[in-house]
Amino acid sequence: GEGALLDELVLAFLRREVVKYKEKELVILDVQGHRKFLQMLAEEMWTQECRDLDVGTIQIVAQLLAEHLKLPAANANALVQRVSSYPFFEKSKTSRKRHAFQHEVFYGYFLAEHLSGLLAEGGFGLRSFLGRSVVEGTLAAEVARRAPAKEEERRRLIETLGRTVGKSLSDQQARENAAELTVSLLRNAMAQTEGLQLENLVFRGSDFRDVSLQAPAFRD
């Protein structure tokens, strides 16, 4: 499908950048390093509610990545110094001093990767992410595409969403986002879901087409 084709395309791009993005023939990042860097940049755009970043911010993210991966000093310095010419980015259309993903699809792709990781872990990181901005249908669908096919594993993700978000007015955005992700996970389920516990979710115009539930329980 289209998702699998995009996976192959992104992997090919990442492998290309490993070969091209060097400093004196020294490979700066491997495939997973590039992938993590792009996830972190997409998350920063999500946090700032924008689609481009200034060079200073990208350099800070590069420094955080270098610390996280415990990169050798030469690699870390080369990464920070060369972010303004990072291959996946181009000059923003809004400002020559800011940089954006070459294609909007890359932003959504790497943000979905990051969110999928948070969903698998649960906890404060997921709750914080869900409370920042609006999870749109395309992002929720991309997260659902990445989710395990087994019903019990999807059930665990859905119940994680319900347990992670709170019930107060300040949690409204997180509850709506958790609901959007829940519906996408259900729509992509391979079979009818029985006895599912749905809690703390706020459904706003959610599309339940193709969702089949048997004896669900709704709470709060």
Side-chain angles (χ1 to χ4, degrees):
E2 291 183 8
L5 181 61
L6 183 57
D7 289 335
E8 292 180 12
L9 180 63
V10 168
L11 181 57
F13 282 163
L14 291 171
R15 286 173 172 163
R16 182 192 67 183
E17 301 319 327
V18 170
V19 175
K20 289 175 57 180
Y21 208 59
K22 294 181 178 181
E23 181 70 16
K24 296 179 181 178
E25 296 307 309
L26 175 71
V27 172
I28 297 175
L29 288 174
D30 61 12
V31 167
Q32 286 306 110
H34 279 286
R35 192 182 290 276
K36 180 66 176 176
F37 187 38
L38 291 162
Q39 289 174 16
M40 292 172 70
L41 292 171
E43 182 197 14
E44 185 62 29
M45 291 179 184
W46 167 267
T47 300
Q48 294 191 22
E49 296 185 303
C50 65
R51 291 294 185 272
D52 53 23
L53 300 169
D54 60 70
V55 172
T57 300
I58 299 173
Q59 287 179 326
I60 291 172
V61 174
Q63 290 171 340
L64 293 172
L65 175 71
E67 293 172 10
H68 174 74
L69 296 179
K70 296 181 172 59
L71 293 181
N75 290 42
N77 291 336
L79 177 63
V80 172
Q81 291 169 7
R82 295 180 57 184
V83 292
S84 60
S85 60
Y86 191 68
F88 265 88
F89 274 61
E90 63 184 8
K91 296 285 186 181
S92 172
K93 293 180 175 61
T94 61
S95 170
R96 299 293 295 173
K97 295 181 179 180
R98 297 176 70 85
H99 296 261
F101 279 101
Q102 289 179 0
H103 300 286
E104 178 77 7
V105 68
F106 288 145
Y107 166 76
Y109 185 92
F110 290 110
L111 187 63
E113 276 197 339
H114 175 70
L115 178 51
S116 295
L118 293 177
L119 182 54
E121 296 170 6
F124 178 77
L126 176 62
R127 182 172 180 170
S128 176
F129 183 97
L130 294 178
R132 290 180 199 159
S133 189
V134 178
V135 171
E136 298 174 346
T138 51
L139 175 57
E142 181 64 15
V143 171
R145 182 182 73 84
R146 299 165 180 276
K150 291 184 178 179
E151 181 186 348
E152 59 268 25
E153 295 183 31
R154 282 183 176 248
R155 176 190 294 269
R156 182 183 63 79
L157 294 179
I158 289 170
E159 293 179 348
T160 293
L161 284 164
R163 287 194 305 269
T164 298
V165 296
K167 305 174 186 177
S168 67
L169 286 175
S170 62
D171 293 310
Q172 183 77 3
Q173 184 67 75
R175 296 176 76 181
E176 291 183 13
N177 285 336
E180 186 69 30
L181 288 164
T182 293
V183 172
S184 281
L185 287 165
L186 289 171
R187 288 184 63 186
N188 282 268
M190 300 299 291
Q192 184 182 66
T193 304
E194 184 175 353
L196 187 64
Q197 178 81 44
L198 298 170
E199 59 181 321
N200 298 330
L201 305 176
V202 176
F203 297 99
R204 295 291 189 192
S206 301
D207 184 357
F208 280 87
R209 182 182 61 227
D210 300 327
V211 173
S212 180
L213 297 173
Q214 181 177 339
F218 294 87
R219 188 173 71 186
D220 294 322

